[in-house]
């Protein structure tokens, strides 16, 4: 069934080309339906003024307030040398605070006449700081006159909806446009099956749309929001359930390890026993590999929980069964590191076809974009002939030239770095769809896993292997207490003198390719404090200062992403071999780098990194038997949000707890936007942390509906909503096997 014509109507026809153009360009709204789903961010009450005291800097805001006073000043300037320049300063208040508005030049006349003390209006503009006071320069405004019925009617009685707006289109103009199209809401086709809607006491969709845009009471808003949250959760979960269903219909070759083959030989030579968690997750994976449809599993593991070992055992099981396994890593450093550690763990089992290789051995090859032509040719040959059972590589694995003899398993490391398209391109290289194991060391709260990775079954490794040491984390307030920083370098020296090694991590490289303009922009973006006024600390500068200052006499080397691959590999080898005492690096060491002798890490400008990223970085130390130490250096003042974030990281080693904090602090769109590949940030009212219950229930309902009717033939309204959710790219993602 086609979308309802009234909701498909282009805004150009309804609102006129100029307004429609701004809505399309700045808000991504093209049709009447898009506009009806542009919900208010919050509501102001006529009798109650907003909190001016809580305005965010540098954001576009809409406030409702009363004019306290207005003064016109004249001044001399280059444009008005005779003192004819005019500036209107208007102070508005809301009981919680005051805010200054300024108008200049010819722009003063209209507000000077209209913004008289006692006048109430909505003001919209960008919050800036002038002389340490918050102000709005040249804000747009709309007077709220209580004497005209028209305004009261337009602004829906007592509750004024405040819409996500832009400088080009204020909230009240969006509100007026919505009033124009609101009658079309009555024609909205309801995606929820009647039984589900009635069973949960949800209002019909047309009613929800009217109530969210023109509420008469707070209960109206609540009814509408609960209903619209259900729509978002349910339609998304149906899309994911259909993908799971489609995947379960695909054929795959069952891969069962031989009883006394490569996997048994590998297990026999392990110098330690697997944790209960590793055994449990391995069993889930082996059960999936033995079925005749493709495995689709997400393996979440805390930093250092031994995911790589679990993945390697899965790859060996597939090689045992006559197939090949490919592991996709996001960076060359990580691909080389994985290759090195896999070859070390396997020993002569990785020397298939070579002298010294044992009977069950296979070949493990590396394939990256920067390999020499001869090495690359040999690797490609080993893959197409089946000589190599395991290949580890970067995006280079996805290229057309790469052919496999019989690809049975794809392992994707650090899934959040890859788009779904890349994952599918590699899966397309199997004669039949290969099994898929996706790994992430970024712990994902359950609801995000259900929302973003909802097409995958989930396994969680939350036990650390025996012998892993705890990591002590501390915040080093470099500005308040400079002697703490001096002590940090003493601690690094003590670790090195004790026979260990250390990392120092910086946000920037500091070579001529680093763009100082970008650094300047970064300073402007969040002027939280003086610390923001300088560019972030850089690897090359810090390494130089340390080698000549507090770490004189130690062997200090640098590592960053733009180094030639051979140099990077050589630096990592020297560090792994213990020939370097201190490695000063960018976040290129964030994932997968494994040097058990490294016990200390100092993260400079730690406030410039996200919570999950700090947790990842910290996981590089404490990988051996000696305890780990992580020092988070920051110049931010104690009360700042940045310092609170660092304190949270220092307080817990629980990655799942930190991922919740991270998600609460970031906009959910950031988290979901990337991972949902093309769903135009489909979550408008659903909050993945708060609405855990709705998401879990929607997932259950969706699974039941898709199991009973995979094509949704009896639910035309749901099909329509699915089509609207899935733009072309997202549709391909869900249709691909």
């Amino acid at each position: 069934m086609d979308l309802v014509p009234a909701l498909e109507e282009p805004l150009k026809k309804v609102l006129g080309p100029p307004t429609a153009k701004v809505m399309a360009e700045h808000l991504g709204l093209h049709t009447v339906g898009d506009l009806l789903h542009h919900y208010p961010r919050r509501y102001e009450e006529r009798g109650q003024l907003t909190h001016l005291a809580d305005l965010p800097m540098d954001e576009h805001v809409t406030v409702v307030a009363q004019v306290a006073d207005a003064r016109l000043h004249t001044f001399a300037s280059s444009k008005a040398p005779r003192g004819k320049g005019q500036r209107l300063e208007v102070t508005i208040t809301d009981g919680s605070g005051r805010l200054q508005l300024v108008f200049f030049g010819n722009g003063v006349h209209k507000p000077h006449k209209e913004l008289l003390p006692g006048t109430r209006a909505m003001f919209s503009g960008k919050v800036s700081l002038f002389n340490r006071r918050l102000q709005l320069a040249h804000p747009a405004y709309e007077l709220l006159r209580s004497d005209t019925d028209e305004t009261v009617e337009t602004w829906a009685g007592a509750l004024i909806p405040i819409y996500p707006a832009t400088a080009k289109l204020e909230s009240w103009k969006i509100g007026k446009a919505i009033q124009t199209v609101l009658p079309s809401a009555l024609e909205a086709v309801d995606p929820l099956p009647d039984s589900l809607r009635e069973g949960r006491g949800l209002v019909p969709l047309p009613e929800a749309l009217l109530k969210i845009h023109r509420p008469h009471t707070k209960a109206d808003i609540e009814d509408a929001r609960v209903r619209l949250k259900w729509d978002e959760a349910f339609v998304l979960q149906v899309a994911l359930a259909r993908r799971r269903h489609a995947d379960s219909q695909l054929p795959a070759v069952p891969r069962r390890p031989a009883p006394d083959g490569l996997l048994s030989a590998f297990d026999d030579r392990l110098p330690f026993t697997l944790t209960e968690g590793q055994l449990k997750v391995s069993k889930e994976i082996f059960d999936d590999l033995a079925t005749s449809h493709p495995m689709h599993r997400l393996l979440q593991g805390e930093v250092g929980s031994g995911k790589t070992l679990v993945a390697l055992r899965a790859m060996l099981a597939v090689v045992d069964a006559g197939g090949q396994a490919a592991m996709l890593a996001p960076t060359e450093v990580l691909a080389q590191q994985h290759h090195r550690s896999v070859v070390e763990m396997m020993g002569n089992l990785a020397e298939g076809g070579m002298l010294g290789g044992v009977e069950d051995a296979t070949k493990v090859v590396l394939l990256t974009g920067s390999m020499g032509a001869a090495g690359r040719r040999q690797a490609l040959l080993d893959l197409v002939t089946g000589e190599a059972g395991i290949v580890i590589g970067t995006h280079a694995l996805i290229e057309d030239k790469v052919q496999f003899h019989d690809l049975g398993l794809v392992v994707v490391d650090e899934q959040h770095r890859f788009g779904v398209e890349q994952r599918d391109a590699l899966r397309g290289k199997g004669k039949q769809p290969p099994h898929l194991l996706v790994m992430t060391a970024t712990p994902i709260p359950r609801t995000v896993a259900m929302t973003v990775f909802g097409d995958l079954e989930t396994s969680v490794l939350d036990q650390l292997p025996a012998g892993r040491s705890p990591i002590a984390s501390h915040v080093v307030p470099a500005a308040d207490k400079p002697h703490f920083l001096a002590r940090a370098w003493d601690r690094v020296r003590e670790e090195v003198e004790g026979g260990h090694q250390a990392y120092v991590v910086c946000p920037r490289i500091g070579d001529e390719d680093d763009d100082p303009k970008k650094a300047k922009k970064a300073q402007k973006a969040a002027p939280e404090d003086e610390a923001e006024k300088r560019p972030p600390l850089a690897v090359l500068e810090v390494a130089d200062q340390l080698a000549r200052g507090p770490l004189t006499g130690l062997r200090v080397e640098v590592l960053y992403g733009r180094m030639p691959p051979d140099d990077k590999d050589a630096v990592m080898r020297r560090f792994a071999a213990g020939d370097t005492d201190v490695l000063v690096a960018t976040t290129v060491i964030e994932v997968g780098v494994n040097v058990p002798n490294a016990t200390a890490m100092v993260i400079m400008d730690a406030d410039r990194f996200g919570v999950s990223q700090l947790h990842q970085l910290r996981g590089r130390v404490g990988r051996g038997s000696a305890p780990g130490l992580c020092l988070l250096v920051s110049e931010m003042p104690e009360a700042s949000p940045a310092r609170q974030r660092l304190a949270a990281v220092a307080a817990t080693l629980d990655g799942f707890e930190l991922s919740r904090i991270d998600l609460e602090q970031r906009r959910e769109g950031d988290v979901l936007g990337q991972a949902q590949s093309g769903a135009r940030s489909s979550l408008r009212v659903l909050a993945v942390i708060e609405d855990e219950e709705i998401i879990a229930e929607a997932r259950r309902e969706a699974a039941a509906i898709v199991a009973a009717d995979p094509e949704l033939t009896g639910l035309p309204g749901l099909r329509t909503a699915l089509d609207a959710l899935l733009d072309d790219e997202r549709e391909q993602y869900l249709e691909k096997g």
Side-chain angles (χ1 to χ4, degrees):
M1 174 175 168
D2 289 328
L3 268 173
V4 178
L7 297 195
E8 254 198 341
E9 189 83 39
L11 289 173
K12 201 159 46 180
K13 280 190 175 173
V14 187
L15 303 174
T19 307
K21 186 168 185 250
V22 176
M23 286 197 170
E25 284 175 8
H26 295 273
L27 297 169
L29 307 175
H30 303 277
T31 65
V32 168
D34 291 344
L35 182 55
L36 286 173
H37 288 293
H38 186 71
Y39 308 132
R41 178 177 283 158
R42 56 190 169 82
Y43 300 84
E44 293 297 355
E45 291 180 64
R46 229 172 247 294
Q48 203 189 28
L49 294 165
T50 53
H51 275 282
L52 293 182
D54 304 335
L55 290 181
M57 275 294 295
D58 276 344
E59 279 198 26
H60 201 85
V61 299
T62 300
V63 296
V64 174
Q66 190 160 337
V67 176
D69 85 330
R71 296 179 186 193
L72 191 61
H73 302 272
T74 53
F75 60 92
S77 71
S78 55
K79 287 185 180 168
R82 297 199 189 126
K84 295 273 179 71
Q86 289 192 313
R87 181 175 77 245
L88 176 66
E89 289 179 4
V90 177
T91 306
I92 58 173
T93 177
D94 66 348
S96 78
R98 295 164 89 79
L99 179 66
Q100 190 159 44
L101 317 177
V102 288
F103 300 88
F104 291 101
N106 294 334
V108 304
H109 305 308
K110 186 166 178 269
H112 189 217
K113 276 203 305 248
E114 294 183 336
L115 297 179
L116 305 171
T119 307
R120 303 198 38 185
M122 296 170 79
F123 301 93
S124 182
K126 195 171 183 184
V127 183
S128 57
L129 202 58
F130 182 71
N131 281 346
R132 301 200 162 197
R133 288 168 65 192
L134 292 180
Q135 70 166 27
L136 297 181
H138 280 285
Y141 62 89
E142 174 88 348
L143 300 180
L144 294 174
R145 300 189 180 87
S146 53
D147 53 340
T148 66
D149 290 345
E150 186 271 329
T151 312
V152 176
E153 183 53 33
T154 308
W155 297 112
L159 292 162
I160 302 171
I162 304 292
Y163 289 93
T166 73
K168 301 265 186 221
L169 203 62
E170 295 87 11
S171 168
W172 53 86
K173 288 187 182 161
I174 295 171
K176 284 179 175 168
I178 284 172
Q179 296 302 328
T180 307
V181 302
L182 204 53
S184 306
L186 297 171
E187 297 189 41
V189 174
D190 205 319
L192 297 190
D194 292 346
S195 56
L196 186 159
R197 190 170 55 72
E198 287 157 12
R200 295 185 177 275
L202 300 170
V203 300
L205 181 58
E207 187 182 325
L209 290 171
L210 292 172
K211 282 183 167 174
I212 198 133
H213 293 299
R214 288 179 79 162
H216 292 294
T217 62
K218 289 186 174 170
D220 283 354
I221 299 170
E222 190 50 30
D223 285 351
R225 287 180 68 82
V226 170
R227 163 61 217 245
L228 296 166
K229 283 180 179 197
W230 255 95
D231 277 17
E232 288 181 5
F234 180 70
V235 174
L236 183 57
Q237 290 302 335
V238 167
L240 293 164
R242 288 185 76 197
R243 174 158 193 180
R244 286 196 302 277
H245 177 79
D247 283 340
S248 71
Q249 306 302 303
L250 292 170
V253 178
R255 310 280 180 175
R256 294 184 185 83
D260 296 313
L262 186 56
L263 179 63
S264 307
F266 175 76
D267 284 349
D268 291 345
R269 61 186 304 149
L270 280 177
F272 49 80
T273 52
L274 297 172
T275 64
E276 269 175 57
Q278 287 172 321
L279 289 168
K280 176 177 146 288
V281 169
S282 290
K283 183 183 182 312
E284 291 171 350
I285 291 170
F286 291 155
D287 287 351
D288 282 358
L289 290 174
T291 61
S292 54
H293 58 82
M295 163 171 83
H296 291 98
R297 190 164 281 282
L298 171 69
L299 171 56
Q300 298 195 55
E302 264 294 9
V303 180
S305 57
K307 288 182 304 300
T308 312
L309 179 61
V310 169
L312 175 55
R313 293 184 73 239
M315 295 198 286
L316 295 174
V318 168
V319 175
D320 249 357
Q324 291 169 291
M327 183 184 228
L328 185 60
T331 64
E332 293 211 349
V333 167
L334 190 51
Q336 288 162 344
Q337 178 83 28
H338 276 320
H339 181 254
R340 222 179 358 254
S341 58
V342 164
V343 169
E344 276 166 22
M345 282 196 270
M346 287 176 65
N348 57 6
L349 293 174
E351 295 171 2
M354 297 187 228
L355 279 172
V358 289
E359 188 190 343
D360 292 311
T362 187
K363 207 168 182 184
V364 179
V365 300
L366 175 70
L367 186 64
T368 63
S370 63
M371 281 171 77
R376 191 180 174 79
R377 240 192 332 270
Q378 185 59 51
L380 292 173
L381 187 65
D382 288 341
L383 287 179
V384 77
T385 59
E387 187 79 18
I390 294 177
V391 59
I392 296 167
T394 54
H395 293 76
L397 281 176
I398 298 169
E399 289 168 11
D400 291 344
K401 288 187 203 122
V402 182
Q403 302 292 321
F404 289 85
H405 175 65
D406 179 14
L407 180 61
L409 171 67
V410 172
V411 178
V412 180
D413 192 21
E414 287 308 316
Q415 160 67 23
H416 63 282
R417 309 277 189 100
F418 291 103
V420 173
E421 302 73 30
Q422 292 156 315
R423 169 174 125 181
D424 284 335
L426 187 50
R427 285 168 60 192
K429 292 186 177 292
K431 295 189 173 74
Q432 280 199 321
H435 299 281
L436 173 72
L437 179 66
V438 168
M439 298 199 298
T440 176
T442 308
I444 303 166
R446 190 173 83 100
T447 43
V448 182
M450 287 193 292
T451 312
V452 176
F453 299 107
D455 57 324
L456 303 170
E457 299 300 326
T458 305
S459 294
V460 177
L461 264 182
D462 46 13
Q463 257 179 313
L464 289 186
R468 270 294 161 84
S469 306
I471 304 169
S473 306
H474 303 284
V475 178
V476 178
D480 318 349
K481 299 178 179 163
H483 58 287
F484 276 36
L485 185 56
R487 176 73 189 114
W489 301 127
D490 291 345
R491 284 291 289 112
V492 169
R493 203 175 259 289
E494 286 162 20
E495 290 296 314
V496 172
E497 283 163 5
H500 297 297
Q501 293 159 277
Y503 297 100
V504 176
V505 181
C506 303
R508 208 163 56 92
I509 299 171
D511 60 5
E512 61 282 2
D513 290 344
D514 260 11
D515 185 353
K517 282 184 196 150
K518 280 185 197 158
K520 273 192 184 147
K521 257 191 185 160
Q523 295 161 34
K524 279 186 192 163
E528 201 167 77
D529 186 75
E530 292 298 309
E532 284 285 346
K533 296 213 172 126
R534 59 164 176 73
L537 289 171
V539 166
L540 299 175
E541 294 153 17
V542 169
D544 187 46
Q545 288 161 10
L546 291 176
R548 287 189 292 157
L551 303 184
T552 309
L554 302 187
R555 296 166 298 178
V556 177
E557 286 212 59
V558 298
L559 178 71
Y560 51 88
R562 283 207 295 265
M563 285 167 75
D566 292 350
D567 294 0
K568 275 192 282 203
D569 200 36
V571 169
M572 270 322 297
R573 279 178 193 280
R574 285 196 292 276
F575 190 64
D579 299 336
T580 304
D581 299 319
V582 178
L583 187 61
V584 183
T586 57
T587 54
V588 71
I589 61 154
E590 181 186 345
V591 283
V593 173
N594 185 23
V595 179
N597 192 45
T599 52
M601 175 177 283
V602 181
I603 303 178
M604 307 302 291
D605 279 344
D607 45 87
R608 312 262 178 154
F609 299 98
V611 170
S612 294
Q613 201 172 23
L614 291 169
H615 183 57
Q616 285 289 317
L617 286 165
R618 168 171 65 183
R620 300 304 114 214
V621 295
R623 298 178 80 85
S625 51
L629 172 69
C630 177
L631 301 174
L632 306 166
V633 179
S634 171
E635 293 187 3
M636 287 293 171
E638 197 165 355
S640 63
R643 273 284 289 281
Q644 287 160 8
R645 216 169 50 231
L646 296 182
V649 174
T652 179
L653 291 172
D654 180 344
F656 285 91
E657 175 55 31
L658 288 174
S659 70
R660 284 186 81 95
I661 294 170
D662 197 19
L663 194 61
E664 281 160 6
Q665 289 185 339
R666 286 157 53 183
R667 293 204 178 116
E668 271 158 349
D670 302 346
V671 182
L672 300 173
Q674 279 178 317
Q676 279 189 1
S677 172
R680 41 184 166 183
S681 166
S682 58
L683 301 193
R684 295 186 180 89
V685 283
L686 193 70
V688 286
I689 290 281
E690 290 162 34
D691 298 323
E692 184 161 345
E693 226 167 276
I694 292 180
I695 293 170
E697 288 176 23
R699 185 179 169 95
R700 280 195 295 276
E701 295 271 11
I705 278 169
V706 171
D709 178 9
E711 293 304 308
L712 309 176
T713 41
L715 298 165
L718 179 53
R719 286 196 66 105
T720 298
L722 266 183
D723 293 341
L725 169 74
L726 310 179
D727 61 14
D728 295 344
E729 181 188 0
R730 177 86 171 145
E731 193 147 20
Q732 285 164 10
Y733 154 34
L734 289 165
E735 294 307 323
K736 274 178 190 166

